[in-house]
Amino acid sequence: SAVISQKPSRDICQRGTSLTIQCQVDSQVTMMFWYRQQPGQSLTLIATANQGSEATYESGFVIDKFPISRPNLTFSTLTVSNMSPEDSSIYLCSAVPGGSYEQYFGPGTRLTVT
Amino acid sequence: QKEVEQNSGPLSVPEGAIASLNCTYSDRGSQSFFWYRQYSGKSPELIMSIYSNGDKEDGRFTAQLNKASQYVSLLIRDSQPSDSATYLCAVRERGSTLGRLYFGRGTQLTVWP
């Protein structure tokens, strides 16, 4: 398995501002994923982040709104830009540790935009 | 669009009973299947993975896979109130060993004492 941490755990932000969420894995991983989960809903994949290449975004998500960095094999950031109340959600980082086929999740970041 | 369907529930069972959670998927070529448990306010926790047809047991949990029927299930024996959570079925993208997962909407399970 993998131990995945995220910062911040929660935040309340003003409309129009940006927030960067950090994700740290305790081992080197090839692929990292960013999800969003609205209250009472299932998980929606935002993008897949491979180290050394541009993130791959899912339909409905664009780089200008959700820029992602993946500077090394244990770390990634997701920025939620120019936030609106519709961006209020839980943002989850996940990864597949080396030698495994299983995907593990971080604790999530609960974002509220006012 | 790959689809993963689950009974949304809620499913309510008494303590000690067997809880049966079901999931169907649309992509016949899918090879990897997962069950996650999510407590309210927490992130998903992987509880079972299954890759071959048949049953896979881990403690009180049994995952069952039938690729011909495109069906995967999770049985929880001797259900406990602590099993009360939402259970998410996930299917890995065809042709990838590390790729993205497609999630169902989840089944909410309540185990009452």
Side-chain angles (χ1 to χ4, degrees):
Chain A
S1 65
V3 177
I4 302 175
S5 60
Q6 286 184 236
K7 289 194 296 187
S9 59
R10 60 177 62 227
D11 207 341
I12 301 173
C13 300
Q14 298 269 1
R15 180 196 300 260
T17 62
S18 298
L19 175 72
T20 295
I21 303 168
Q22 298 179 9
C23 178
Q24 179 75 52
V25 188
D26 69 341
S27 61
Q28 294 185 341
V29 298
T30 302
M31 299 180 75
M32 297 179 73
F33 305 87
W34 288 98
Y35 290 85
R36 184 170 73 180
Q37 188 173 32
Q38 307 278 10
Q41 302 295 316
S42 190
L43 288 80
T44 300
L45 182 64
I46 297 171
T48 301
N50 288 338
Q51 194 270 335
S53 63
E54 295 289 327
T56 302
Y57 289 83
E58 296 298 306
S59 175
F61 298 96
V62 295
I63 187 171
D64 290 346
K65 175 68 175 178
F66 297 101
I68 288 171
S69 77
R70 181 79 201 274
N72 58 51
L73 289 172
T74 64
F75 187 79
S76 179
T77 67
L78 169 75
T79 298
V80 187
S81 303
N82 188 24
M83 288 184 284
S84 68
E86 292 70 35
D87 295 319
S88 297
S89 188
I90 297 172
Y91 291 85
L92 292 154
C93 168
S94 73
V96 180
S100 171
Y101 299 115
E102 299 172 340
Q103 193 172 127
Y104 296 89
F105 284 85
T109 296
R110 183 180 294 273
L111 171 62
T112 302
V113 183
T114 61
Chain B
Q1 176 71 20
K2 309 297 191 295
E3 292 188 355
V4 179
E5 300 286 342
Q6 294 182 249
N7 292 334
S8 60
L11 175 65
S12 181
V13 301
E15 184 174 357
I18 296 175
S20 178
L21 305 161
N22 303 317
C23 173
T24 59
Y25 58 95
S26 63
D27 187 352
R28 182 173 292 277
S30 299
Q31 297 293 325
S32 306
F33 307 87
F34 307 89
W35 283 99
Y36 289 83
R37 177 176 63 197
Q38 187 172 25
Y39 292 114
S40 180
K42 301 294 186 182
S43 65
E45 172 193 9
L46 179 67
I47 54 172
M48 290 290 286
S49 60
I50 187 166
Y51 307 102
S52 303
N53 278 330
D55 295 359
K56 179 181 178 183
E57 186 175 315
D58 184 0
R60 297 185 296 110
F61 298 99
T62 299
Q64 299 175 317
L65 174 61
N66 184 327
K67 291 183 181 178
S69 299
Q70 295 174 237
Y71 175 90
V72 58
S73 65
L74 179 70
L75 300 178
I76 306 175
R77 291 182 302 282
D78 188 24
S79 295
Q80 302 296 310
S82 58
D83 296 325
S84 298
T86 296
Y87 289 80
L88 298 166
C89 174
V91 179
R92 172 158 282 136
E93 184 171 47
R94 171 210 292 235
S96 172
T97 55
L98 302 177
R100 65 158 299 167
L101 300 180
Y102 293 89
F103 283 86
R105 292 183 177 273
T107 298
Q108 185 177 348
L109 171 67
T110 299
V111 181
W112 45 275

